[in-house]
Amino acid sequence: EDKVVQSPLSLVVHEGDTVTLNCSYEVTNFRSLLWYKQEKKAPTFLFMLTSSGIEKKSGRLSSILDKKELFSILNITATQTGDSAVYLCAVLFGNEKLTFGTGTRLTIIP
Amino acid sequence: SAVISQKPSRDICQRGTSLTIQCQVDSQVTMMFWYRQQPGQSLTLIATANQGSEATYESGFVIDKFPISRPNLTFSTLTVSNMSPEDSSIYLCSGDRPGSGYTFGSGTRLTVV
């Protein structure tokens, strides 16, 4: 059965800290891995990773994929209170469907 | 990425009634998807809305409970039928734009009392 696992489930850090969120997967017909930020209802798209070893970066956020070891990490440096959210990892299969992980709830303390 | 307008944003419904959720995309998308997110849980795919044909449902979801329409490439509806408190969730639609990530609608928070 296809599976996407995120860790940790929750994380509480102080403003200014750096955090690393993990996502591992076991799927057939892997195409891409996507990261989303969910603050209220709608997840907002962060990154889509298709190739191993190529870092994607947007401001203080960065992500990389390891297709050999079947995992991805999302790094957030110099965290701010606005980074508090649930971060979702999803894997896209060959049939165009997304399977989501359980999410990591990140809380930034001022 | 496509912009998806979803409504209603939230609703409180009596058990036994039905609610129809609408999603309008600002450009044509090939595939649209409907998800449910139960309290404290991640997103679970309900079905893929196919234009001009019947939706494809995931295991555990049936057409009688969650009928879906997709009359064209920019619009879809999901109906939650004969609701019970267990249907209280956030419902989300999504559309694909290959290479640009899958965009989500703003979500519908449904409470069944």
Side-chain angles (χ1 to χ4, degrees):
Chain A
E1 183 182 331
D2 300 313
K3 193 165 52 175
V4 181
V5 178
Q6 291 185 246
S7 64
L9 290 181
S10 67
L11 187 58
V12 180
V13 300
H14 289 278
E15 201 167 21
D17 288 350
T18 293
V19 298
T20 298
L21 310 182
N22 304 292
C23 176
S24 64
Y25 60 92
E26 295 176 23
V27 302
T28 54
N29 297 319
F30 172 88
R31 290 182 59 182
S32 302
L33 185 145
L34 294 84
W35 284 97
Y36 289 88
K37 178 183 182 182
Q38 186 178 32
E39 293 177 89
K40 292 183 180 177
K41 289 183 296 182
T44 54
F45 173 74
L46 296 174
F47 298 112
M48 183 165 72
L49 304 156
T50 305
S51 302
S52 272
I54 299 175
E55 184 183 56
K56 294 251 178 140
K57 195 171 173 64
S58 176
R60 295 177 293 103
L61 277 67
S62 64
S63 184
I64 197 162
L65 174 68
D66 186 328
K67 288 170 74 173
K68 182 179 177 185
E69 300 298 329
L70 308 184
F71 79 92
S72 174
I73 59 172
L74 175 68
N75 279 321
I76 308 175
T77 59
T79 52
Q80 303 170 358
T81 55
D83 295 328
S84 294
V86 174
Y87 289 84
L88 295 166
C89 167
V91 174
L92 179 65
F93 295 75
N95 58 7
E96 304 285 348
K97 295 180 184 178
L98 283 177
T99 293
F100 281 83
T102 48
T104 293
R105 181 175 295 278
L106 176 64
T107 303
I108 310 298
I109 301 171
Chain B
S1 296
V3 174
I4 303 179
S5 301
Q6 182 173 342
K7 59 181 182 181
S9 174
R10 60 176 61 221
D11 208 340
I12 300 173
C13 300
Q14 297 289 325
R15 67 178 68 199
T17 63
S18 298
L19 175 72
T20 296
I21 303 167
Q22 301 180 7
C23 276
Q24 178 75 53
V25 191
D26 67 343
S27 58
Q28 293 184 350
V29 292
T30 305
M31 305 182 78
M32 289 185 73
F33 305 90
W34 287 96
Y35 291 86
R36 179 176 74 182
Q37 187 175 31
Q38 295 178 300
Q41 305 293 315
S42 191
L43 279 70
T44 300
L45 181 64
I46 297 171
T48 303
N50 304 307
Q51 193 264 329
S53 65
E54 210 168 84
T56 305
Y57 290 83
E58 297 300 304
S59 176
F61 298 96
V62 295
I63 187 171
D64 290 345
K65 177 67 176 176
F66 297 102
I68 287 171
S69 78
R70 180 97 191 269
N72 56 55
L73 291 175
T74 63
F75 186 79
S76 181
T77 67
L78 168 77
T79 299
V80 186
S81 303
N82 188 24
M83 289 183 284
S84 67
E86 291 71 36
D87 294 320
S88 297
S89 293
I90 295 172
Y91 291 86
L92 292 151
C93 63
S94 173
D96 73 311
R97 291 296 296 275
S100 302
Y102 284 56
T103 304
F104 284 84
S106 49
T108 298
R109 187 182 299 276
L110 170 63
T111 302
V112 183
V113 297

